[in-house]
Amino acid sequence: MQLKPVCRNNPSPLLTELPPLGMDVATLADDFRRYYNYTLGCDGDCLSTHYPYKALVLTLRDRLMERWKQSKYAARTRECKHAYYLSMEFLMGRALGNAMLNLGITDEVGRALYELGLNLEELAEVEMDAGLGNGGLGRLAACFLDSCATLGLPVMGYGIRYEYGMFRQLLENGYQVEEPDHWLRDGNPWEIERPEHTKRIHFGGRSEHYRDGEGRSRVRWVDTNDVLAVPYDVPIPGYRNGVVNTLRLWRAAATDVFDLGEFNAGSYPESVAAKNAAENITMVLYPNDASENGKELRLRQQYFLASASLQDVLVRWVRSYGNDFSKFAENNSFQLNDTHPACAVAELMRLLMDEHGLGWDEAWRITSNTMAYTNHTLLPEALERWPVRMFERLLPRLLEIIYEINARFLAQVAARWPGDGERLRRMSIIEEGPERQVRMAYLAIVGSYSVNGVAALHSRLLVEGLFRDFHELWPEKFNNKTNGVTQRRWLAGCNPALAELISENIGEQWKVDLRQLKRLAPLAADEGFRAAWRAVKRVNKERLAALVEAECGVRLPLEAMFDVQVKRMHEYKRQLLNVLHVIHLYDRIKRGDTGGWVPRCVIIGGKAAPGYAMAKLIIKLVNNVAGVVNGDPQVGELLKVVFLPNYRVSAMEIICPGTDLSEQISTAGKEASGTGNMKFMMNGAITIGTLDGANIEIREEVGEENFFLFGLTAAEVEAVRASYNPDAIIAADEELGRVMRLLESGHFSRFEPGLFEPVIRSIRSPQDPWVVAADFRSYVDAQRRAAETYLDQERWTRMSILNTACSGKFSTDRTMQEYNEEIWRLKPVKIQSRDQQTAISD
Ligand code: 7LS
């Protein structure tokens, strides 16, 4: 049957069709001045840099706007399948530099501003990071959007417009202190509010069964407390291809500004309370990247995102096809970024059945052929479970649907494995026990046609462990999609000096085809090229040293090896192992063992979840060790240690180009993939790392001789833990013994005796899940190899060049192509673009 689009009146072309905007210096300067003077009302007395920043964004946004419109029309043709990336986090960082880069007008803008007496770099610094994410998972979503737009894939992001993003991290006496991040205080000139697309979200109430006009049994969700979801659209430009995709972020608003009953009764505060309760939903990003499960507001956020986004897609569908959903699954995919938006499985069922009148079987066919789930972690504390009682109170209709999904699913399991009650218990979406829980990962697996992990090892461990039963039932659902990062932000944008050196030698095509970097490999043998490579690294180290000096007041010697570990603070990431190595280096200096010494600057940065005591204590330890080391005249320039506060996207843009040694030292089997590892590699840092996550694939690509490997494998970690005896390891290792004695003597906690007891206990615990002591020896040996290599600067430079040259696999362009070929199957849109084309090769 042919689907008929529902007709709509088109507005007059006179209203909507405009000649293209100029991209030349003079036109950009004209537009800028118009915004500055007329729109923003500035005159000679305006001193704040905020105004020129805003005028610049508006100038650029106009250029995006015309391409945005064209992209929308191009993707609106019939049967154009779309994918939707549902994510609680989009860690976008700054948008200005990226917009100019992707429009191809960075130089023109720079010149236009220069002619107006302004400085582009200065204005770019005015922009706040959009910190709508915690770490890897949120930043991955941002890189995915960049790559989809660049590939012309019709993919839309759906997320939450948190009023407060990731907290700002301050240090007080070496302790982390959190400050709210009111990133929207001065407005966000990139976003467009779209109140006409507001959606209504239900909470609470109960479900009511009734018969409709045709005598069919139906359900409705009644007596609900409703909240409105108001969308804000953010443009996502592709790289010089005329494509602009959309990130739609939802803000919660009360249904009525005031409760008039309360207001008239004179209870003003009560009347405003409901408004506050509603708007609380999108007030703040939860600053945890694992655990703290079971918070009601978090479940509200998750359902709010899922429901608003699905309703939005369904409204657009109905506008085109009425209530005919027969081809919905053919034309739509929803990618669930971890289980956080997994309510979407039950919510799509509810919308299709209760709101659009479909029967269970048809609704299930559609749902289970549109949902796809990406898992990002094996850590048990990050596996989401919601108490059934909370679900019942907040989302009673959804729980009813989940029960039905579970009943039908378990019937399937029982048919396949008759009499296997234990398996039914294991696989049930509902976990039984004193407090019954909904297992969100199982709901996501049962409701999806694809389930993927984010690196080869991680995907293998998933099907061998956590999801083993499900893999046995549906092996074809499971697949791997190794993560990546976008080279536009993480090389072209953040490292202009290296980007230029690369382009001079192999052309510019690497910006859309990262495998081209392979052509740098032969240049590793070219002495002149190596010298140029080192000169670039030197400039980038100066930039990083300036940042460190401004933030930490410590001067870093530029000839020293810059040894960097930046990522969320977490025990499994083993910043503690890094600190133990630092203490060991300090100990060597103190006892005069400095023959052939390579000066080092150890930089550690990352935020700890506010409730994660051990992670916060490790921050304090880094700072105390830094205080002792940097303050010791005998150490001098041989070793510097700093904790760089408030690690964020815009800081990484300065950090990764200036890094020599990239620390990727998680306990094997615990880091699902890692993406910082890829940013460092792309920028020519050499990795010291374990066989964990994507490190394994990085090492495969660059070759074992260009990677400093250490540590137990994932299988060995599991084996060792059965009879783990850290005290014996410490006793048998002279150097580790000395490190522990320094720690235990209170050398780093002079003013707070016993402060690091919990750290010491964790290292010495036979229960230590991260087996820090077990990997110390091989870590120190690998660090020795790194130092010896660094002594030979020519050799180090060769390895550095080869790391960049072999980083081609780790572009999100490749990752997105794989998602598209194996999961979404979208047709790229082509735009007749005026932008300087750099076509993407197949
Ligand atoms: C979260 C919460 C949570 C990552 O970055 C889990 C949670 C929670 O459990 C609970 C209560 C309140 C807020 N927020 C935010 C994130 C996560 N989970 C993860 C899981 C994996 N966050 N990852 C990282 O993802 C990267 C991209 O795939 C990987 O490269 C990296 O290995 C992984 O750690």
Side-chain angles (χ1 to χ4, degrees), residues 68 85 87 89-92 130 132 141-142 145 155-160 190-192 231-236 244-250:
W68 209 351
Y85 201 74
S87 177
E89 306 193 356
F90 286 91
L91 190 39
M92 303 298 287
L132 307 183
L145 294 184
V155 174
M156 185 169 168
Y158 276 111
I160 291 182
W190 294 107
E191 67 185 11
I192 310 269
Y232 290 72
D233 288 352
V234 182
I236 307 292
V244 176
N245 283 345
T246 302
L247 168 60
R248 178 161 280 188
L249 300 175
W250 299 100

Side-chain angles (χ1 to χ4, degrees), residues 602-627:
V602 178
I603 301 170
I604 299 176
K607 293 173 183 175
Y612 192 168
M614 184 61 94
K616 289 179 127 174
L617 189 57
I618 291 168
I619 292 177
K620 173 65 174 162
L621 176 61
V622 174
N623 281 306
N624 281 18
V625 170

Side-chain angles (χ1 to χ4, degrees), residues 163-202:
E163 195 78 27
Y164 292 88
M166 189 61 199
F167 65 80
R168 180 173 313 110
Q169 179 192 53
L170 305 177
L171 292 179
E172 280 179 17
N173 184 30
Y175 289 100
Q176 167 175 302
V177 172
E178 302 91 20
E179 234 183 32
D181 163 46
H182 200 187
W183 72 294
L184 291 169
R185 195 189 49 206
D186 299 326
N188 174 10
W190 294 107
E191 67 185 11
I192 310 269
E193 187 179 357
R194 298 281 186 207
E196 71 275 25
H197 297 300
T198 296
K199 301 291 178 293
R200 186 174 271 267
I201 314 297
H202 304 313

Side-chain angles (χ1 to χ4, degrees), residues 89 136-137 286 288-289 291-292 298 376 483 572 671-674:
E89 306 193 356
L137 167 146
Y286 273 92
N288 314 298
D289 64 352
S291 77
E292 275 222 50
R298 168 89 175 164
H376 294 265
N483 283 168
Y572 84 81
E671 188 72 272
S673 161

Side-chain angles (χ1 to χ4, degrees), residues 141-303:
C143 285
F144 279 8
L145 294 184
D146 180 81
S147 284
C148 287
T150 297
L151 292 164
L153 297 176
V155 174
M156 185 169 168
Y158 276 111
I160 291 182
R161 182 181 176 275
Y162 301 104
E163 195 78 27
Y164 292 88
M166 189 61 199
F167 65 80
R168 180 173 313 110
Q169 179 192 53
L170 305 177
L171 292 179
E172 280 179 17
N173 184 30
Y175 289 100
Q176 167 175 302
V177 172
E178 302 91 20
E179 234 183 32
D181 163 46
H182 200 187
W183 72 294
L184 291 169
R185 195 189 49 206
D186 299 326
N188 174 10
W190 294 107
E191 67 185 11
I192 310 269
E193 187 179 357
R194 298 281 186 207
E196 71 275 25
H197 297 300
T198 296
K199 301 291 178 293
R200 186 174 271 267
I201 314 297
H202 304 313
F203 290 100
R206 61 194 167 81
S207 62
E208 187 175 85
H209 293 244
Y210 69 103
R211 290 205 178 269
D212 65 13
E214 291 150 36
R216 293 193 312 159
S217 166
R218 301 278 296 269
V219 185
R220 60 189 161 211
W221 189 357
V222 298
D223 296 339
T224 52
N225 288 312
D226 295 352
V227 175
L228 300 179
V230 185
Y232 290 72
D233 288 352
V234 182
I236 307 292
Y239 183 76
R240 298 185 193 183
N241 62 355
V243 174
V244 176
N245 283 345
T246 302
L247 168 60
R248 178 161 280 188
L249 300 175
W250 299 100
R251 175 177 69 85
T255 45
D256 300 299
V257 175
F258 293 109
D259 180 325
L260 282 179
E262 299 267 19
F263 188 63
N264 292 334
S267 315
Y268 181 76
E270 288 76 5
S271 76
V272 183
K275 174 175 156 67
N276 287 340
E279 297 184 351
N280 253 341
I281 294 180
T282 54
M283 194 56 67
V284 55
L285 167 79
Y286 273 92
N288 314 298
D289 64 352
S291 77
E292 275 222 50
N293 285 313
K295 291 280 191 318
E296 180 178 314
L297 183 60
R298 168 89 175 164
L299 179 57
R300 280 185 191 271
Q301 290 182 335
Q302 295 184 348
Y303 176 66

